[in-house]
Amino acid sequence: MLCCSWFFGALAQSVDKMGMISLRPYLPQESELGTQAAAMMTTKLNLIASANGMSGEGADNRFIITAHLQEVKSGKTQTIPLKYATRMMVGIFVGDGINGTLFSQHAIEVNGIGNDKEDAIMSAIRKINVYDPQLVKAVERGKARIVRYYDQMAPNLLRTARSAAAAGHYDEAINILFTIPSVCKDYATAQDLLAKYGETLLEEQNMSLIRNAWAAWSANPTKEGAEAAIGQLDKLSLPSPKVQSEYKKLTTEISTRLKELSDRRFRLDVKRQQDAHALRLATIRSAASVARAYAASRPQVVYQLGWW
């Protein structure tokens, strides 16, 4: 039996970071931190964003959270074995990295001790409390400015996305729509369009698989050709009525032409799980993968910090 199942397992999971404001952790290349210390600071910035209901990943890399670390005092201890101690002033900044507008900032003083300078700096970074009330307030101020930006820009973003889709640039349209966060008043409209465009893309992908299956069978109408066609059909996901109709035509053709497969029942197993919410969520998830691929293909963003 040929069984092409609708895959709904992932739908039981949450939509993860979908709809969250994207606040990208960023450290400039000129940062004097060592590799390990820079990685730790980036992780700390990501935690600060998450603690304030924002994601370090997303379709929009416009808004950033960054840090500037300055040694206030440092030196070797008088202990045995010798250690390296440092006192650091850490500035945390939130803003629009594209036009260089600073939204909010907060300074924290932390101490660290280690076997060498980088070890001591890493020790200090570990002591940054992501739930520090004053830090939380500062980041919340930045978040409010980001929400204001999307409320003002969302109508224009929706128009741009519709224009891109009308021109067949669904990947661009989807990427734009994913930048609109759930706190924005136009979020529901963006999600409706995402579901619509995601469904269109899914059908295009499924029809491409159907065409590949037909090509494999037409080029070699034997058992081997049938198996090659079946390999393509097994990749179908969320088949629309149009896709199901094309599937039936091909599998009927294969069953009719090959006596050894005449008793084999080809069936597209849709499992009757066509719940509207599940289908909508699945198409949006499909759109999310398109957005990730599109974002990865774009040139690296150059930020204008100035320095804050």
Side-chain angles (χ1 to χ4, degrees), residues 20 22 55-61 175 178 295:
M20 296 177 70
S22 175
S55 169
E57 301 174 357
D60 194 354
N61 289 326
N175 190 73
F178 265 114

Side-chain angles (χ1 to χ4, degrees), residues 120-281:
I121 292 174
M122 292 171 65
S123 172
I125 292 172
R126 289 190 192 96
K127 293 177 181 176
I128 298 174
N129 179 11
V130 300
Y131 299 105
D132 180 300
Q134 296 304 312
L135 174 59
V136 169
K137 286 182 180 179
V139 177
E140 283 292 335
R141 288 196 301 273
K143 182 178 180 180
R145 292 281 299 275
I146 296 172
V147 172
R148 193 183 314 160
Y149 168 88
Y150 282 117
D151 279 337
Q152 293 173 347
M153 293 297 297
N156 183 56
L157 292 172
L158 290 173
R159 283 193 295 271
T160 304
R162 287 189 175 103
S163 296
H169 304 309
Y170 289 103
D171 52 356
E172 180 183 350
I174 286 170
N175 190 73
I176 292 170
L177 293 169
F178 265 114
T179 67
I180 300 176
S182 59
V183 293
C184 178
K185 62 181 183 296
D186 289 307
Y187 177 72
T189 301
Q191 292 293 291
D192 287 342
L193 290 174
L194 277 170
K196 176 183 177 181
Y197 299 155
E199 188 173 352
T200 299
L201 280 173
L202 270 174
E203 181 156 294
E204 289 182 355
Q205 293 164 5
N206 283 334
M207 288 304 296
S208 177
L209 290 170
I210 292 287
R211 287 191 293 271
N212 291 343
W214 270 111
W217 168 247
S218 299
N220 185 17
T222 65
K223 185 175 181 179
E224 289 73 22
E227 292 299 334
I230 290 168
Q232 292 295 309
L233 297 176
D234 279 341
K235 299 175 184 177
L236 293 175
S237 175
L238 299 170
S240 66
K242 178 181 178 180
V243 173
Q244 293 180 45
S245 176
E246 293 299 316
Y247 173 94
K248 185 177 181 180
K249 289 179 185 177
L250 177 54
T251 54
T252 299
E253 163 83 6
I254 293 174
S255 296
T256 301
R257 291 282 299 274
L258 293 180
K259 292 182 178 181
E260 60 266 41
L261 296 180
S262 60
D263 294 329
R264 180 174 182 174
R265 294 184 61 193
F266 294 95
R267 184 170 63 89
L268 185 63
D269 185 7
V270 297
K271 293 188 176 179
R272 296 298 176 185
Q273 294 188 22
Q274 300 182 42
D275 173 78
H277 175 70
L279 180 58
R280 176 186 174 88
L281 184 56

Side-chain angles (χ1 to χ4, degrees), residues 39-51:
M40 180 176 288
M41 190 66 237
T42 300
T43 298
K44 185 69 71 168
L45 293 173
N46 208 341
L47 290 172
I48 293 170
S50 297

